[in-house]
């Protein structure tokens, strides 16, 4: 299987569209390599802005370019983009409604071995709490490609978290993608797993294992953290006895917390939230961390079977 990282997929889409659209601009904070955007910078130097290691300036400059009619994709490590430049994201992008797409690269624990300073386990909560900001966490290259193509067509702010590593394909080029609409992968009448991003592949394997064991399990890809697709959640959850969320995020303000809010408001159900703990995390590769914190397929299955 030819794996391509989500960050590479973003570069490919932007390069293709930049051929005929000179308003597309990419801005980086000494992160073109980490964002897989070196090919874009080389091919379109007049549409590429490097600000150096200055995330606050990065977002401010991006907003300024957008106010002049540019379609700006602003890429920086998620751990820094969503903390160091939070005020600029709030005021210059979300409040000012500028056409800036903030791309948080190496999200979650992609930089696992570098420790807590490089983890972004609060970005869903931080960015979704900003009025006017959309939040997305695509799972593979095909979904990422469709998402970026849609975002190129609108002028509203958005935050896109992408993982560092190439991930297994969940979809293919025939994906029927709808912006802000969750995608149902499996149907089930006992358990519903809701997940997104890099952990979706583990959630998918877990659902397959549970179905093989006779536990009817559905899987919903909630890549759209905000706006949250409550309608799809309620539709898929109505006939199950247990809803399970799986996310590469802390326990506060993320996928599990939003799901809990929507279910408690509209459709009370037993809910199991699987996420990273509220503590300074261990160091290691992201796969080692997923296994340690019970977020790989084995851990997900074990947690669900214990509850059942």
């Amino acid at each position: 299987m030819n794996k391509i990282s989500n960050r590479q997929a973003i570069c490919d889409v932007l390069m293709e569209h930049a051929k005929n659209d000179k308003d597309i601009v990419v801005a980086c904070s000494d992160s073109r390599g980490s964002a897989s955007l070196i090919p874009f910078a080389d091919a379109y130097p007049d549409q590429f802005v490097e600000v150096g290691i200055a995330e606050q300036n990065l977002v401010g400059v991006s907003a300024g370019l957008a106010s002049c009619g540019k379609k700006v994709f602003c890429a920086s490590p998620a751990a820094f983009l969503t903390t160091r430049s939070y005020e600029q994201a709030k005021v210059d992008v979300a409040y000012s409604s500028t056409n800036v797409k903030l791309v948080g690269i190496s999200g979650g624990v992609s930089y696992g071995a570098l420790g807590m300073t490089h983890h972004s386990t609060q970005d869903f909560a931080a960015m979704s709490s900003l009025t006017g900001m959309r939040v997305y966490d695509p799972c593979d290259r095909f979904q990422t490609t469709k998402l970026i193509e849609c975002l190129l067509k609108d002028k509203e702010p958005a935050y896109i978290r992408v993982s560092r590593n190439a991930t297994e394909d969940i979809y293919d080029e025939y994906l029927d993608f709808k912006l802000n609409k969750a995608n149902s992968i499996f149907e089930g009448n006992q358990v519903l797993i809701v997940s997104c991003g890099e952990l979706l592949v583990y959630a998918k394997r877990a659902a397959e294992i549970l179905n093989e064991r006779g536990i009817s399990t559905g899987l919903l890809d909630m890549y759209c953290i905000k706006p949250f697709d409550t309608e799809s959640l309620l539709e898929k959850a109505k006939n199950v006895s247990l809803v399970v969320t799986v996310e590469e995020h802390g326990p506060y303000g993320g996928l599990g917390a939003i799901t809990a809010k929507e279910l408690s408001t509209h459709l009370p159900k037993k809910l199991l939230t699987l996420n990273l703990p509220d503590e300074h995390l261990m160091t290691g590769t992201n796969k080692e961390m997923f296994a340690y914190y019970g977020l790989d397929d084995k851990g997900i299955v074990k947690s669900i079977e214990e509850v059942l």
Side-chain angles (χ1 to χ4, degrees), residues 19 31 42 50 96 98 107 119 127 134 136 139 172 179 186 190 203 237 243 259 278 302:
K19 292 178 182 177
S31 49
D42 291 344
E50 174 62 72
S96 301
T98 49
H119 297 162
M127 302 309 283
R134 297 169 294 174
Y136 301 106
C139 65
D172 57 30
L179 188 63
F186 296 138
Q190 290 179 270
V243 176
T259 299
D278 181 29
K302 181 174 183 292

Side-chain angles (χ1 to χ4, degrees), residues 43 49 86 107 122 134 142 145 164 183 197 233-234 263 289 296:
V49 177
Y86 191 61
Q122 80 305 314
R134 297 169 294 174
F142 296 109
T145 295
R164 181 171 179 80
N183 190 63
L233 171 68
L234 300 181
L263 288 179
M289 295 178 76
D296 62 358

Side-chain angles (χ1 to χ4, degrees), residues 165-185:
N165 300 319
T167 55
E168 291 183 26
D169 292 338
I170 299 291
Y171 303 110
D172 57 30
E173 61 269 29
Y174 303 108
L175 166 64
D176 182 19
F177 180 86
K178 293 182 176 63
L179 188 63
N180 303 329
K181 190 71 176 176
N183 190 63
S184 178
I185 297 175

Side-chain angles (χ1 to χ4, degrees), residues 268-297:
K269 290 280 181 178
K270 189 166 187 175
L271 175 66
L272 171 65
T273 57
L274 302 179
N275 44 250
L276 294 164
D278 181 29
E279 62 186 50
H280 300 313
L281 305 177
M282 65 168 282
T283 58
T285 67
N286 61 340
K287 290 184 178 179
E288 289 170 339
M289 295 178 76
F290 294 156
Y292 183 83
Y293 291 113
L295 296 175
D296 62 358
D297 48 334

